[in-house]
Amino acid sequence: MAELVIRGGKKLKGAIEVGGGKNSVLKGIAASLLFAGPIRISNIPLIEDVRRMTELLEGLGAGVTENSRILKIDPGALKGHKLDNNIAKSIRASIVLAGPLLARERRAVFPHPGGDVIGKRPIDLFLEGLEAMGAKIRANKNGYEARAERLKGADFTFRTISVTGTETLMMSAVLAKGRTILRNAAMEPEVEHLASFLNKCGARIKGAGTSTIEIAGRAGRLLNKRGTFVTLPDRIDAGGFLILGAALGRNIKVNKCVPGHMHALLQLFKAASIPYKIGQDWISVSRPRTIYATDVKTQEYPGFATDLQPLFAVLMTQAKGQSLIFETVHDGRLNYIEELNRMGAKIFPADPHRILVSGPTFLHGREIQSPDIRAGMAFIIAALVAKGESRIKNIYQIDRGYEKIEERLTKLGADIRRI
Ligand code: EPU
């Protein structure tokens, strides 16, 4: 099994480019199920989760080709309604296919999705939403079977804000009969971006990017006359490199990002006295002499992203004072603290959702297992900060979300290799 070997303690400098966002492209891929003919998706990141998602579509009979980071998906010959159990269980985003597949084929068979081990991650909201739209859903030992002659519009309020739940029901509603209103919807930029692409292709969605989305359903499948789904730049990728720059940078410039999506992180940088500059599509950051401990609470967008929380905690091990980190989105996302403490961090659990990080602490290299994508990236940052050698195992988790991470970080001067 491959692992990353990192020798820490080096200052980093230079420019790094942000790729297409995992949580944007996976929804673009799912949207192909709403179309009569081929669609193109550009700026795709070459990561494991994208491969798994396209394998699921191929398994349903869609044609998929990839060339120069452009995916062409042709759902024209699609005939199946069953998602491959093993693959669908390996990524959370597989559940996003269930709604559009049901809307298209009138039937969808799917397992309980897997993905990161960061909490319970139920799918009750998806099931409730699809049932509100008229689906009949039966659970069995392998998962679920949903049927609907034709989905119908519904007025649905999410009990908890869910990103993939919002995207799934929004897409399902595009082919439903009548009007759907989604209340307490997720407001992430990826939701708005998906809606705007679908609208260019004939969907009628209003309000995406706000907490109430209204969708007027249509009878026929969408037609892709107006171009390509251009994957949004990855704001979590961008945030990770900025946090790395704050910990170790002598002017690290993060290119091809959308600064407007990074407000919550930059506000924390201000509070922690971390200097940064913003351009049209770049942000640069350097490590200050003293980083000040700053409290953080994760929230749905536009709040501070849960996906950056473990990385920010690593930064706080280098800050002066005590910071309180409050994870409110996922219930198992403080799963990395023992490993960091073994590296020398002083992190104390306060309750199941809150930790106290005391700093600054001196980190030393170790062998570490990556439990999920984002904790994996947090460990890379910790290992780069630490003195001595670290070995990060289970890096499939990191490859799920980060493309060729060692090559990109080497360009900044990091001592990191894959063996
Ligand atoms: N929830 C329910 N019932 C549901 C669905 C969600 O209770 O049916 C709960 C979850 O357990 C969680 C909360 O709602 O406590 C919010 O979860 P959400 O559904 O928003 O998460 P998600 O849509 O499954 C996406 C991203 C995650 C990211 C979250 C929050 C994708 C494929 N995944 O997950 O990304 O953390 O939104 O922003 O879009 C990652 O990239 O590392 C990652 C985990």
Side-chain angles (χ1 to χ4, degrees), residues 18-29 40-47 50 69-71 189-190 193-194 197 228-235 256-258 261:
V18 169
K22 167 177 86 71
N23 293 342
S24 170
V25 69
L26 295 176
K27 323 311 167 46
I29 296 174
R40 283 153 53 95
I41 303 178
S42 67
N43 190 33
I44 66 158
L46 303 175
I47 53 175
V50 167
R69 293 181 184 275
I70 298 181
L71 263 184
E190 291 77 18
H193 186 67
L194 175 65
F197 169 69
T228 304
F229 179 92
V230 184
T231 308
L232 267 188
D234 195 327
R235 60 196 166 88
K256 293 204 179 165
C257 62
V258 183
H261 293 167

Side-chain angles (χ1 to χ4, degrees), residues 94-160:
S94 65
I95 185 68
V96 181
L97 295 170
L101 184 61
L102 174 64
R104 180 189 186 98
E105 298 293 311
R106 295 154 193 240
R107 206 171 155 197
V109 173
F110 51 97
H112 194 93
D116 290 325
V117 193
I118 51 177
K120 288 199 286 292
R121 303 188 90 184
I123 59 164
D124 50 339
L125 301 172
F126 296 76
L127 304 179
E128 277 174 25
L130 291 172
E131 276 171 349
M133 296 175 77
K136 298 271 174 280
I137 303 178
R138 278 191 316 169
N140 56 43
K141 66 177 184 348
N142 294 320
Y144 306 88
E145 173 162 8
R147 286 175 189 259
E149 240 349 273
R150 182 161 176 217
L151 290 173
K152 57 179 176 24
D155 190 334
F156 183 76
T157 302
F158 286 94
R159 286 181 285 118
T160 303

Side-chain angles (χ1 to χ4, degrees), residues 152-417:
K152 57 179 176 24
D155 190 334
F156 183 76
T157 302
F158 286 94
R159 286 181 285 118
T160 303
I161 299 176
S162 166
V163 178
T164 45
T166 300
E167 291 160 333
T168 303
L169 296 188
M170 183 174 85
M171 286 195 275
S172 310
V174 166
L175 298 187
K177 185 167 193 281
R179 194 169 69 123
T180 297
I181 303 177
L182 301 177
R183 301 178 197 271
N184 200 22
M187 301 193 283
E188 267 64 6
E190 291 77 18
V191 176
E192 188 178 359
H193 186 67
L194 175 65
S196 110
F197 169 69
L198 295 173
N199 282 344
K200 278 189 204 149
C201 303
R204 288 175 295 167
I205 304 170
K206 281 201 296 202
T210 75
S211 63
T212 305
I213 306 180
E214 244 188 86
I215 306 112
R218 52 175 271 158
R221 290 176 189 155
L222 300 179
L223 285 171
N224 184 28
K225 290 190 191 135
R226 302 258 184 88
T228 304
F229 179 92
V230 184
T231 308
L232 267 188
D234 195 327
R235 60 196 166 88
I236 305 302
D237 219 18
F241 298 136
L242 289 171
I243 290 172
L244 179 64
L248 281 175
R250 284 206 183 107
N251 197 22
I252 292 217
K253 191 169 176 216
V254 178
N255 284 326
K256 293 204 179 165
C257 62
V258 183
H261 293 167
M262 309 301 303
H263 287 306
L265 176 64
L266 295 178
Q267 201 60 40
L268 287 178
F269 278 5
K270 257 189 207 152
S273 290
I274 294 162
Y276 63 87
K277 287 194 190 122
I278 303 183
Q280 177 116 24
D281 67 347
W282 58 265
I283 304 174
S284 66
V285 62
S286 291
R287 178 179 173 128
R289 187 182 292 268
T290 307
I291 303 171
Y292 290 96
T294 304
D295 293 346
V296 46
K297 179 177 176 186
T298 65
Q299 272 170 330
E300 296 81 12
Y301 190 87
F304 180 69
T306 166
D307 296 342
L308 291 175
Q309 176 267 111
L311 293 71
F312 198 81
V314 172
L315 181 63
M316 288 298 101
T317 67
Q318 303 308 299
K320 187 173 168 195
Q322 199 169 56
S323 66
L324 177 71
I325 297 190
F326 187 2
E327 171 60 55
T328 73
V329 177
H330 295 299
D331 50 16
R333 214 172 211 176
L334 297 169
N335 55 2
Y336 56 84
I337 59 175
E338 276 178 31
E339 295 277 32
L340 284 185
N341 281 345
R342 283 194 206 109
M343 293 177 80
K346 288 198 182 121
I347 307 179
F348 310 96
D351 63 36
H353 290 278
R354 288 184 295 180
I355 53 173
L356 284 165
V357 184
S358 261
T361 44
F362 181 78
L363 302 184
H364 47 84
R366 271 192 66 94
E367 190 175 299
I368 340 169
Q369 289 276 348
S370 170
D372 68 83
I373 307 178
R374 309 303 172 189
M377 187 61 197
F379 289 161
I380 291 181
I381 298 177
L384 289 168
V385 168
K387 193 167 166 25
E389 185 177 283
S390 296
R391 285 172 174 256
I392 304 186
K393 302 191 164 212
N394 197 21
I395 59 172
Y396 175 78
Q397 284 301 330
I398 297 172
D399 293 337
R400 285 186 49 209
Y402 293 94
E403 181 180 330
K404 296 194 179 134
I405 191 69
E406 69 282 12
E407 286 179 23
R408 297 162 79 200
L409 294 179
T410 301
K411 286 190 192 136
L412 297 178
D415 186 344
I416 172 170
R417 58 204 160 88

